[in-house]
Amino acid sequence: MSAADLVVADATAREWQRFKLIPRVSCAGNLDLDPLLNENLEQWPHLNELVQCYKADFVKDDCKYGRYDSVAPPSFRSQIFEGPDTDIETELQLCNARHSKPEETTEDDMPSTSGRQIYETEPCASSSNKPCSLSPLPAYEPAFDWNNERSLIFGQRVTESLPATHISGLKITVKVLSLSLEAGLVEPFGGTICLYNRDRREKLSEDFCFRILPTEMQDAHISLDRWSVFSLDAPSPSVCLLIQLEKAATEEGGVTPSVYSRKEPVHLTEKEKQKLQIWSRIIPYKEPFAWAMIPLFENNHAGGVGDAVSPSSPLAPSISGSSSQDSIVEPTSKLALEGKLNHYSSGSSVIVDISNLNKVKESYIEDSLQDPKRKVHKPVKGVLRLEVEKLHNDRNDTDTISEGGSMNNELHGAELNNGRHHRNSFDGAHSYLNSSAVVQKNARQNGQNSNAENGDNFQAFDFRMMTRSEPFSQLFHCLYVYPLTVSLSRKRNLFVRVELRKDDADIRKLPLEAIHPRDWSTTLQKFVHTQISVGTRMSCFHDEVKISLPALLTPQHHLLFTFFHVDLQMKLEAPKPVIVGYAALPLSTHIQLLSDVSLPILRELVPHYLQESGKERMEYLEDGKAVFRLRLRLCSSLFPVNERIRDFFVEYDRHTLHTSPPWGSELLEAINSLKNVESTALLQFLHPILNMLLRLIGDGGETLQVAAFRAMVNILTRVQQESSDGAERNRFLVNYVDFAFDDFGDRQTPVYPGLSTVWGSLARSKAKGYRVGPVYDDVLAMAWFFLELIVKSMGLEQSHLFYHNLPQGEDVPPLQLKEGVFRCIMQLFDCLLTEVHERCKKGLNLAKRLNSTLAFFCYDLLSIIEPRQVFELVSLYMDKFAGVCQSVLHDCKLTFLQIICDHDLFVEMPGRDPSDRNYLSSVLIQEIFLTLDHDDLLQRAKAARILVVLISKHEFDTRYQKSEDRLYIAQLYFPLIGQILDEMPVFYNLNAVEKREVLVLILQIIRNLDDTTLLKAWQQSIARTRLFFKLLEECITHFEHSRAGDSLLLGSSSRSPDAERPVSPKYSDRLSPSVNAYLSDASRHEIRLQGTPENGYMWNRVIPQLSSPNQPYSLREALAQAQSSRIGSTARALRESLHPVLRQKLELWEENLSTAVSLEVLGIIEKFSVAAASRSISTDYTKLDCVTSILMGLLSRSQPLTFWEAFLPVVYNIFSLHGATLMARENDRFLKQIAFHLLRLAVFRNDSVRKRAVVGLQILVRNSFNYFKSTTRLRVMLTITLSELLSDVQVTQMKSDGSLEESGEARRLRKSLEEMADVRSKDQLNECGLPVNALEVSAEGSTDNRWSWVEVKHLSKCLVQALDAGLEHALLGSVTTLDRCAAAEGFYKLALAYAPVPDLHIMWLLHLCDAHQEMQSWAEAAQCAVAVAGVIMQALVGRNDAVWSREHVASLCRICPIVGTDVGAEVSAAEVEGYGASKLTVDSAVKYLQLANKLFAQAELYHFCASIQELIIPVYKSRRAYGQLAKCHKSLTNIYESILEQEASPIPFIDATYYRVGFYGDRFGKLNKKEYVFREPRDVRLGDIMEKLSHTYEAKMDGNQNLHIIPDSRQVNADELQPGVCYLQITAVDPVMEDEDLESRRERIFSLSTGTVRARVFDRFLFDTPFTKNGKTQGGLESQWKRRTVLQTEGSFPALVNRLLVIKSESLEFSPVENAIGMIETRTAALRNELEEPRSSEGDQLPRLQSLQRILQGSVAVQVNSGVLSVCTAFLSGEPATRLRSQELQQLIAALLEFMAVCKRAIRVHFRLIGEEDQEFHTQLVNGFQSLTAELSHYIPAILSEL
């Protein structure tokens, strides 16, 4: 056990030590009764009572105001909430590393306003994998202050500080340091200092006497080092120090005092010095020398002496108020550090040099000092040095101090220098500071002790104590005598001796030793002398004589004054005084607070000089005139000046000593007349009067009891009203009950039986309807006082009973009240309850106060009497206020419960049945729940608050830290959760603040519960369990951590009415309402950070914008700023206005609250899943919706790093236990959410979070292997979620040049997806708190691992592909309008990437289709529609629920090869909730087939249309939709007709043109060095496509980039191109037919191949390029070679996109002669084709004639003969012919002969076809043919014979 625990244990064990004795400290000097006069007090009971009252120790009940020791608060860790783009964790680690060294020193500046220490931050130790065990409550109530919470209870009792001698705000200490005179300090000086009010011309304190000796006369044994302490209510400019100096009386003819005040410098000769010294040793009489008046506070502000030196001024404000008195002030800044003034020491002393000492010229008295007519005295040439210090009495607030002027704030700010302002300490008791003890000053460096440590201080008596209206708490009994003037007819050197005599019988008898000496000896003296008044008729004195009075004054006690004259010159011996006369003053006749008296002077004293009878015989000076004037001041707490009080005391004595007649009517009269005593006197003697009345109530007869009780009520009511400080319980009365009342210290029977009997009978009389007068209402108003007296009386009796005979270590037994007394108390309680009930209905405030009083009565009794008896009282109360009652009554009931439940014993409050230990808690829960169902919003808030405070109190109490205690408390409150679950609408009806209060309670209770109780709660019904988890979901929602950017507007509740406006500003919605109070409190007291912002990096780092110079440092400035910018109403503005340290605290608390709640909920879920695994609770086992809904709630909110650390192991365990259920189709939605959030976390920049996301994904994969043996279904799920995530995540970011690039998020996501398939991830498992074999999957009973890295890699690759497609699409964002091809490709890639998910696949295909339609690429758009239909058909065939078969899918595949033939499990796997089945129907397939049909028709690709119609027909057949079938067949007819039409056209039909485009240059990015074949509309020529592509790509280039077009179609060597320049190579290409012979040397004429209907599906293309061997492009026929290039594309046209990548390129070369042969063969073939083509009817002759004429004209007309002729010239003449191989020569000749033969045939046919108009054209043809034949015969003689 720790020491603290032992103390607590001991305190509880020795309960009877509840009463603490606090010794009184006397306030001034020796206040004991004079031992000489200390007669036997027993014969004066009232004196005995008074002395007892002032001397007894205070008795304080330590438990009365509750005892509460808080545990040391757990540390808050800075919670790191990472966003996708933050890595605060790393930043903090770096920061901590950087700042660890300089930072160690400045950690202590946290403001704390509560008794509970504020939690500090500490860096998050993320090494530990265990979830942070912080409970939500400390973070919700971080500033929990028990005292403060209690103070909010209506009628709360507030403890008062110790009754002091007087409540003084200020103490001034003065010490005389030295006197230095210009002439030299040769003789001793004395003097007095007192406080003086110069406006009112009155002394405020008694004199402090001091002496100053020249160095040679100083005695080493006598210390002069003495401080005087003066008390002052408040600083005021009129308060001064009056200093009066005295010296030895001047010798006649000696050195006069004027040497000290001459203008010219004076130097005393040695002889003079000796003379002075000897004279001062001989002469004992003093004369006044000089005086000075020093104002303590300046006029302009009440700063003055010892004001804390303001940082701006080098000196303290001047001590003197007026400039005529030039005093010099020098602050003692020896304490100052490094030249800065230390203006935070608790006291600030100043050295005061007083140079304006006025020399006393003539006799003077204090009253004449400020007389304006008074002549100015000569100043003394010298300086008196004092040290003055101002000290605060810690108990006072600024308000009480600043009555006399605005107390300089700096001084009071000393307490706040760290921003800590003092509240009560935990045990509810103030740290009492005795008013008489002075607050210690800092010890000075020169070793001088502070005044408080010296026991020899002089406490100057404060005269205002006698006029203050407050009870005397000290024993003092003195008379101050001031002889003023004596006026005689001749000049004398006069002084007066003062003494106190007991009687006048014997003149020679010595006077009493009662006079306080002027030197500092402690023994009282028999007489004292005044100063001497030299050579005047009118002698003036200003001495103060202090006399201790006897305890009881008799008429014989008197003062005797003896007047002496002395000659002040040295003769043979020292001068002898001569008696001049006497004066006597009987004390009992003149004793008053302050009286001026004039007396005649007797020549001689005779025995019995006081008696009137002897007066005639006596001889008087000055004819018996009253020539001696004096002043008396009585300061006594024993002798009441008020006659009525004196009468009461006398009658009390007579009654007590039984000397009065037994009926005691005089006593009754005296008691009744007390009500007429004026209030000051009544208050001053309040304590003794109350004690005496209580004694009479306790043991007087009934009449006397009632009279005393009524008088007491009357007095109390007057005290309450006349000295009201606005408090419900007057502080004087509280002090009496709490401290002074001791129940006669066990010297007599206790008070409580008598008191309760008298009061009870009065209450019963009222209840019976008798008239009891107005006193009864006063009794009710003062009920608190009587009830507290009764309780204290019982407590004292209990402690006296068991004080001696309790064995060590045993608890004190409760006090058993006697049956009669308890019955009496019950009846009284009942009567008071009735009053509360009745008066509440009338809405009287008194009723609510009385209600609180009764609650406190029960609260107090719980610790003293048998709890069962208290139970009787409480149950009586609950019966009276049972059920739902009026709002006012209900409020009273809540307050009652709130007060009682605050008791420590509350936990064990018994009920009627001995086994029922929890009566009170069940009542409390019931009532609070009733209130929550109430409409009164204020009451609802109050009810919720009561429970939270109660739970917090238990949670933070050092006594309840054991787990069994916590469990007990949790079980005590657990029924509350049951009630809420039974009545959920009540909970839902609360507003947000109330909900949070209730939820925190629920979490706290569950946290401390044991598992068995929790399981029982889950075993009742499925619905109830579900509701339980609904509450947890509410917790997650209501305590979610909102980022700083979120809206923080006021009034989270939409229904909070105006009446409910919070009193304190609302800084935070999430935390407890008390935090707002704490923050506004802390802001009010400006916090000063010790560290400047440079080294106070703490908030500089976190909130960099705050270091700006205009950042307000105080709430005042901040609110002013907020007002000016019109944001005063929002919580955001309030937050901004907080000091950075406070704001950081607030954020820290909110973070920790959110974290603690999340972790708590996570822990509960884990417990639940374990319980569910054993099937021991009632829940829905098919879906486990309780678990899934909570996990989804947690994941969807911002969570800190600590949460993620704890999250994975929990999820792993839950999946291990319930994987089958969670992975089942019913939980698709949950699985999708989990996948989504894991992917979301995989984007995070913080590595800890990202790593955990990857492991989380692996856990999903593991479960997929475990339950499905493959990842197909999970792949679909992840693909879907990835697609959803990509719509949220920013995958691109803007570069500085305005273009887009891949964002960090996308890079991190890719990295995470790749890591998922990384075999080395086992190390990560350990770091994330999982076992190393967490990913192994083995079926039951087998050892083989189902986990397959290959499959995981495939999964990862698919996801990365989808990510890349999305990224690429996003990067195109800005250029989609320009580069339509790229845009289409973006959609295409997305469609491919999302192929596993039919919905997404279809979605992107349709986007692609729309894009193509916009570009009017009909064929491509049609292909998209076909692809969509194909996806649906595959799914339907896979499900066997359609009219189609695999053959149909295959035929569709022939149109669009992307439609795969693999119809498998993929589609069924793709059935995820919200995706799949709904869209995949036969009708949707038909819809897209029809769209494809329409688009193909627009592209005029009719043969495709035919195939599609054939797929639609089976559907209508199966449905017998004959109308639709008819339409289909009709459209088929149209299709075939269109095909015929295309074939019959003389101009061959071309559906598109094709171009090969090569890209070269870095700026093309991925296109660089790649070749594509573009499919363009049939009317696009080479120039058009060049222009289009140039336009597209130039727009993408920067201004400084050039785009070049390579003009020919040769092979490009990329290395030879100019770097930094972009090149395009564009070549027209021809599609290649399936059966075409590519090695044929003929020239290709495209129309030759279009004769038959065939699918126009092309994936090969060719183009011919002429070249010569000498490097030139063109040459003569004999040197002209030809290269034929064949290109193979990736896929076939028409495709889903406009361009396809060239994946293979081959080339053939043809020699010049082969070229020539090819050219001739081509023409031959064209003519033959025309001749042999069959024509259907004669009507077709016309088109045939036209085409024949065209071909013939190009072959034999004279002007174009050059073609064939040039071949002959080139190859058959001379040298070339010899170079040809014979085979080539023969082939060439054969080709020429065949060409000529076909021409001849064609001319004949032409002749048959022509009419008259073409005869001339025919003649030309014949002539041409003949001349050509003749020309050729030169080269080929055989031609003539052939033709």
Side-chain angles (χ1 to χ4, degrees), residues 85-142:
D85 245 339
T86 61
D87 192 359
I88 306 166
E89 185 188 20
T90 312
E91 286 171 33
L92 278 177
Q93 282 165 358
L94 291 173
C95 234
N96 288 339
R98 201 175 330 142
H99 289 284
S100 57
K101 292 184 182 69
E103 195 50 21
E104 281 157 11
T105 49
T106 60
E107 250 331 287
D108 185 38
D109 310 326
M110 292 303 178
S112 155
T113 55
S114 68
R116 195 147 180 260
Q117 194 50 44
I118 296 304
Y119 299 176
E120 303 303 342
T121 63
E122 62 170 38
C124 173
S126 51
S127 57
S128 70
N129 284 323
K130 289 173 75 176
C132 159
S133 61
L134 178 67
S135 85
L137 191 64
Y140 181 72
E141 281 285 4

Side-chain angles (χ1 to χ4, degrees), residues 1015 1018-1023 1025-1026 1029 1167-1188 1217-1224 1226-1227:
L1015 287 181
W1018 291 332
Q1019 279 163 358
Q1020 299 186 9
S1021 73
I1022 293 180
T1025 309
R1026 196 168 279 145
F1029 283 94
K1167 278 185 190 171
F1168 179 81
S1169 66
V1170 172
S1174 61
R1175 298 264 164 168
S1176 56
I1177 50 178
S1178 19
T1179 186
D1180 175 1
Y1181 283 105
T1182 50
K1183 282 191 78 170
L1184 280 179
D1185 51 353
C1186 293
V1187 175
T1188 56
L1217 294 168
H1218 303 286
T1221 312
L1222 297 178
M1223 299 293 286
E1226 291 74 37
N1227 268 321

